[in-house]
Amino acid sequence: MSKRLTVGVVGWALIQCMIISVPKAMAAPSVPSGVRLMGTKVAIQVFDCSGMLCGRVIWLKAPLDPQGLLKRDKLNPDPALRERHVCGPTIIWNARPIDPSHWKDGWFYNPDDGTTYRVTMELQSDDVMMTRIYEGFSNIWRNQNSNPRSHGNRRWCPSSKQLGLLRA
């Protein structure tokens, strides 16, 4: 009987250890924060937003329109947002982590065409994040690789004040 009691105590201790370790195993993966160059025309600052992956435009290769003014979100379906700058807003949101290197069910707003698409993301290495942007079915997509870039504490999107100083 004492042998059974010993097995029972050891078994109980193992169950407690398993219960204690489950929350760590189920902890949400961290978002690979930082700046990622997507193609050659835009840099996105990736950040954690309530445990999900989000991203905002922080640099544009060509931030000015033909009149020399900061580009505006002219094609946005919401008329109230058509005057906001293209450089600065969050354009990737609610990408839900499914493991430490994959996010799905997110959204991507493209200011070039005013359309919001679905997005999934995969961190393939520290240097490459594959972004699948799609509309409707996920088997019809556009792939976009992004590479990390250091930005220090600089603000890459010029402010209207900085733009005025550049023109003076």
Side-chain angles (χ1 to χ4, degrees), residues 10 35 46 64 69 81-82 88 90 93 100 108 116-117 124 158 162-163:
V10 170
V35 176
V46 177
L64 305 179
L69 302 173
L81 297 177
R82 290 183 186 153
T90 297
W93 65 95
F108 169 77
T116 300
Y117 299 93
Q124 295 181 335
Q162 290 169 324
L163 188 59

Side-chain angles (χ1 to χ4, degrees), residues 42-45 55-60 86-91 109 111 157:
V42 63
I44 305 292
Q45 178 184 27
R56 70 170 117 323
V57 177
I58 65 160
W59 176 81
L60 293 169
V86 171
C87 200
T90 297
I91 62 167
Y109 170 70
C157 291

Side-chain angles (χ1 to χ4, degrees), residues 73 75 91 93 108-117 133 142:
D73 193 4
L75 299 177
I91 62 167
W93 65 95
F108 169 77
Y109 170 70
N110 184 357
D112 290 340
D113 64 11
T115 303
T116 300
Y117 299 93
I133 300 165
R142 179 181 68 168

Side-chain angles (χ1 to χ4, degrees), residues 38-39 41-42 44 91-92 108-113 115-121 129-146:
M38 297 187 72
K41 298 180 181 181
V42 63
I44 305 292
I91 62 167
I92 298 172
F108 169 77
Y109 170 70
N110 184 357
D112 290 340
D113 64 11
T115 303
T116 300
Y117 299 93
R118 298 304 308 223
V119 66
T120 63
M121 303 176 89
M129 179 178 276
M130 175 67 74
T131 305
R132 290 183 177 92
I133 300 165
Y134 60 95
E135 188 172 19
F137 298 105
S138 64
N139 61 349
I140 302 170
W141 65 69
R142 179 181 68 168
N143 287 332
Q144 177 72 53
N145 286 329
S146 62

Side-chain angles (χ1 to χ4, degrees), residues 7 15 21 38 56 67 90 111 116 123 138 142 147 152 156:
V7 172
I15 290 171
S21 66
M38 297 187 72
R56 70 170 117 323
Q67 292 77 35
T90 297
T116 300
L123 187 62
S138 64
R142 179 181 68 168
N147 300 306
W156 285 3

